[in-house]
Amino acid sequence: MELTKKTVSQSRTEQIQAVMPQHANGMGNLFGGQLAAWIDIVGGVVARRHANRNCVTASIDSLNFKKPVMVKEYVVLVGQVTYVGHTSMEVRVDTFIDHLDGSRTMVNRAYLTFVALDEYGKPTTVPPLELETDEERQEWEAGAKRAALRHQRRVEQY
């Protein structure tokens, strides 16, 4: 069965979270584990929308914290598919502080890999990705490199 190509915009997802005291670490900053959970949720929504299937997180390649987020700030998480393989998808989730004036400051970028599952819980084929912009093509090329590195790490049991 041939799958219909899907565009990046068809599965792009944006979520807003208010940072409350229960989300903070001892320094009063957003706890990294809480942000990781929100990132995983947004990434999972993106993957599910792209695959039209339930998906599971296979890996998180990087989770780079660029700036702390304080209690009472709002964060916006934006996720999109960057690369697809046969049964897996790479999803980038960018996190921003959403300021009162409408501007945003990037605080985190993460790359996650999700695997699509069939009705029996086994990996299944995902739709190809139709690239529409130069930025999407550049992200695809970088995603292919990251996929090769992930494969090499599995081979080396790294």
Side-chain angles (χ1 to χ4, degrees):
M1 176 175 96
E2 188 170 327
L3 297 171
T4 304
K5 283 186 178 185
K6 293 183 90 172
T7 63
V8 172
S9 62
Q10 284 178 284
S11 58
R12 185 178 166 96
T13 299
E14 189 170 304
Q15 180 186 75
I16 298 172
Q17 292 286 344
V19 180
M20 308 297 269
Q22 65 266 27
H23 302 135
N25 62 22
M27 300 295 293
N29 303 329
L30 175 60
F31 179 59
Q34 179 63 64
L35 181 57
W38 289 340
I39 288 168
D40 193 34
I41 290 167
V42 169
V45 170
V46 171
R48 189 172 194 253
R49 285 180 173 177
H50 181 80
N52 294 326
R53 299 277 191 168
N54 287 323
C55 299
V56 294
T57 309
S59 70
I60 299 175
D61 281 359
S62 61
L63 196 61
N64 299 312
F65 299 95
K66 301 174 187 304
K67 183 180 183 323
V69 179
M70 306 304 294
V71 169
K72 297 183 183 178
E73 290 186 304
Y74 286 79
V75 293
V76 178
L77 298 101
V78 181
Q80 64 185 36
V81 176
T82 55
Y83 179 81
V84 297
H86 181 67
T87 61
S88 65
M89 298 149 282
E90 180 187 77
V91 174
R92 184 183 83 203
V93 178
D94 292 330
T95 305
F96 304 89
I97 296 172
D98 191 43
H99 301 288
L100 289 173
D101 65 3
S103 65
R104 292 179 175 180
T105 301
M106 180 181 267
V107 296
N108 187 280
R109 172 166 284 172
Y111 288 94
L112 303 89
T113 303
F114 291 88
V115 175
L117 303 176
D118 67 14
E119 57 274 11
Y120 304 105
K122 301 294 183 194
T124 189
T125 306
V126 298
L129 190 62
E130 182 176 333
L131 305 172
E132 299 179 301
T133 69
D134 287 340
E135 181 183 339
E136 290 171 0
R137 285 183 271 285
Q138 289 170 354
E139 192 68 67
W140 175 275
E141 290 172 13
K145 291 176 185 176
R146 286 186 294 271
L149 285 171
R150 285 190 295 274
H151 175 74
Q152 186 62 34
R153 287 180 175 169
R154 279 193 308 276
V155 168
E156 294 176 4
Q157 298 180 351
Y158 174 75

